[in-house]
Amino acid sequence: GALPRPPQVPRPSPPPPPPLTPPALPGCAAVVAAAGGRSGASGTADAVSEDIAEQPQLVGSSGFFEQLTQQLEEKDAELVPTEEQQAQKGWLVSTLKPLLERHTGGVLHTFGSCENGFWMNGSDVDACLVIRRCVSRQSWLTKLRLVQCLVQREHIGTAQVVGAARVPVAKLRDQNGAELCDVSVNNVAALENSRFVRALAQLDPRVPRLGRFIKHWASQRRINNRSEGTLSTYTLILQLFFFLQAREPPVLPRVDQLLAVLPPSLTTTGGVPMGAEIRAVNALVAGPEMDMISGQLRPLPFLADAGVIQQEGRFPDAERNKESLGELLHGFFQLWGREAFRGGDEGSGQTVLVYDGTQERNDLGVLVMRCPLTGKNVNPFMTMVWRAIHTEFERAAALLSRGRPLAELCEPAEESPAGRGPRRA
């Protein structure tokens, strides 16, 4: 018989257009300038930093933080995924998963935001087929074309194979043209990455709420688009994790507190060169994320279960931090709006490691965010683009220092800081 149809997911309505004239902020011309023209020029950024420095911190009052928390909670109610999205994901698992597994010989896993705790209203579903002995790009494309044939044969909808992408995918749409999901093959590093993000996100209920808002703010301000050279969502999440590790007491543990296998002595063989400095999980683990012969994924090299983390006493500070959502959101923008992170041509950038909760100066003039699993720079930036991105953090910090509402932080930016033209409708 025919497969059940996927449930319809109404697309979220577009944000309202920004007001023609931004509301004047008394004595805050620098902030308005930064919000409007983002050339990345040092003059604008300097003006905003001076404005922050001169501000009396209105934010000391508990009433301010209570109001900020209330605004954030109200906004989060709009940002969480809808029941229709949840139903569509359920359909993918109950109907599409067995179909694709039966014909491809693989196992279909969902990953990305729909699994890592930061899923949002309007976000799609990412899925990955894990297939043994499927190692070349050509063999991935063959499997994706099989997915395309199955989707069309079973009258589920249509599928477009995007073979030129860095990670080839089949983009599945239903019969009305609405997005269903993107399917990739053996994208196993992304699977492990999603489980890592979820492991930290589940440790404190404040983490997903803060992450959803920060992702929304960055999208509105046109700085959350890796293809344009701005921030990937993973970078934003790592920025949040680093900030929460740095609170006193910390909200989240360092990644090196969660290792499934504790590091061997550097004087032993153990796969680690003698005297090497361990700055990423994969430096401690032999072998790839997947055994290509068997198709088995390796055991996670970090603890992913909150109960086990608690039982083993890996994070003694768990639940000690009692700050409100408002206090934490304000602190996030104060941290990342600091002049130390501004960078520039003079080569004063910062390298940040969520693995051990440290930061150090670099000579690249940009933020270097290192993946705690691989140690790689997750988001290379051009200097001018990073300066423009940082101006947005300065703008947000300055607006919050003046007690401005979150809606003003999230007014849609007209242009991308990467200079890719106006916002698409």
Side-chain angles (χ1 to χ4, degrees):
L3 292 170
R5 300 272 69 79
Q8 298 297 304
V9 177
R11 311 316 290 173
S13 56
L20 295 175
T21 308
L25 306 181
C28 196
V31 177
V32 175
R38 285 188 301 176
S39 64
S42 59
T44 301
D46 288 340
V48 180
S49 282
E50 286 164 13
D51 190 74
I52 294 173
E54 290 168 5
Q55 284 313 308
Q57 294 297 303
L58 312 171
V59 296
S61 70
S62 59
F64 171 83
F65 289 131
E66 287 171 11
Q67 190 177 44
L68 201 56
T69 298
Q70 183 180 348
Q71 289 179 46
L72 186 56
E73 288 174 340
E74 289 171 357
K75 187 63 187 177
D76 192 58
E78 301 172 16
L79 297 178
V80 294
T82 62
E83 289 183 8
E84 289 87 357
Q85 281 175 271
Q86 301 285 7
Q88 187 177 88
K89 182 182 169 188
W91 172 86
L92 288 168
V93 171
S94 65
T95 303
L96 189 66
K97 176 177 164 71
L99 172 72
L100 297 187
E101 290 181 346
R102 186 164 66 249
H103 291 279
T104 64
V107 179
L108 189 73
H109 300 265
T110 50
F111 70 98
S113 67
C114 74
E115 289 295 337
N116 68 17
F118 295 95
W119 203 19
M120 292 176 64
N121 185 354
S123 296
D124 58 4
V125 173
D126 292 304
C128 172
L129 274 167
V130 174
I131 305 173
R132 70 190 189 101
R133 299 181 186 274
C134 188
V135 294
S136 71
R137 191 179 184 90
Q138 191 55 52
S139 59
W140 299 341
L141 291 171
T142 300
K143 293 295 185 182
L144 292 176
R145 284 191 281 271
L146 175 57
V147 170
Q148 182 181 42
C149 291
L150 290 168
V151 166
Q152 292 168 353
R153 189 190 78 184
E154 299 294 333
H155 306 292
I156 291 169
T158 62
Q160 175 193 5
V161 176
V162 184
R166 185 177 62 85
V167 176
V169 295
K171 289 187 165 293
L172 276 56
R173 297 178 179 273
D174 66 17
Q175 291 179 330
N176 298 318
E179 293 178 5
L180 286 175
C181 69
D182 289 352
V183 178
S184 55
V185 176
N186 288 350
N187 190 10
V188 289
L191 292 182
E192 199 165 274
N193 176 292
S194 294
R195 295 169 78 181
F196 156 68
V197 171
R198 183 185 182 91
L200 286 183
Q202 69 179 353
L203 290 177
D204 191 294
R206 293 169 292 183
V207 178
R209 285 181 154 185
L210 290 165
R212 281 190 291 266
F213 177 80
I214 291 163
K215 189 175 169 183
H216 169 70
W217 162 80
S219 296
Q220 290 291 92
R221 300 304 301 168
R222 294 290 300 272
I223 59 170
N224 180 204
N225 190 333
R226 175 75 188 272
S227 66
E228 289 186 344
T230 57
L231 295 164
S232 68
T233 297
Y234 185 41
T235 304
L236 281 166
I237 289 171
L238 291 179
Q239 286 183 276
L240 175 61
F241 287 175
F242 178 76
F243 161 73
L244 294 174
Q245 290 172 336
R247 299 309 276 176
E248 187 54 53
V251 177
L252 289 179
R254 305 181 314 271
V255 177
D256 64 4
Q257 293 176 273
L258 305 181
L259 299 173
V261 179
L262 295 176
S265 166
L266 295 184
T267 57
T268 66
T269 51
V272 180
M274 195 165 73
E277 190 176 12
I278 304 301
R279 309 298 293 272
V281 171
N282 282 359
L284 296 164
V285 184
E289 293 92 349
M290 171 187 172
D291 183 319
M292 281 298 173
I293 304 300
S294 68
Q296 290 295 309
L297 299 175
R298 71 181 180 190
L300 288 178
F302 49 85
L303 301 184
D305 182 88
V308 174
I309 291 168
Q310 183 179 15
Q311 287 166 18
E312 295 198 6
R314 294 297 189 94
F315 183 38
D317 287 312
E319 300 182 8
R320 282 187 57 214
N321 183 297
K322 303 299 183 185
E323 290 178 284
S324 67
L325 286 169
E327 288 173 281
L328 291 173
L329 185 68
H330 174 263
F332 173 84
F333 286 114
Q334 290 295 316
L335 172 70
W336 290 105
R338 284 180 187 169
E339 187 174 354
F341 288 108
R342 186 189 302 167
D345 294 330
E346 62 275 13
S348 55
Q350 293 286 325
T351 297
V352 171
L353 294 102
V354 171
Y355 177 79
D356 57 8
T358 61
Q359 71 183 80
E360 53 199 36
R361 186 166 172 158
N362 67 50
D363 59 3
L364 300 174
V366 298
L367 173 70
V368 173
M369 180 65 74
R370 297 222 170 267
C371 174
L373 302 185
T374 66
K376 295 177 181 175
N377 179 3
V378 300
N379 207 156
F381 298 107
M382 292 174 59
T383 308
M384 279 189 62
V385 173
W386 169 249
R387 287 290 299 273
I389 290 168
H390 186 260
T391 297
E392 284 297 330
F393 285 97
E394 290 181 307
R395 170 188 177 271
L399 289 175
L400 287 180
S401 291
R402 293 189 174 276
R404 306 303 299 174
L406 294 184
E408 194 166 331
L409 258 71
C410 297
E411 283 180 351
E414 281 300 300
E415 292 183 334
S416 163
R420 299 295 173 89
R423 169 183 284 271
R424 291 185 295 275

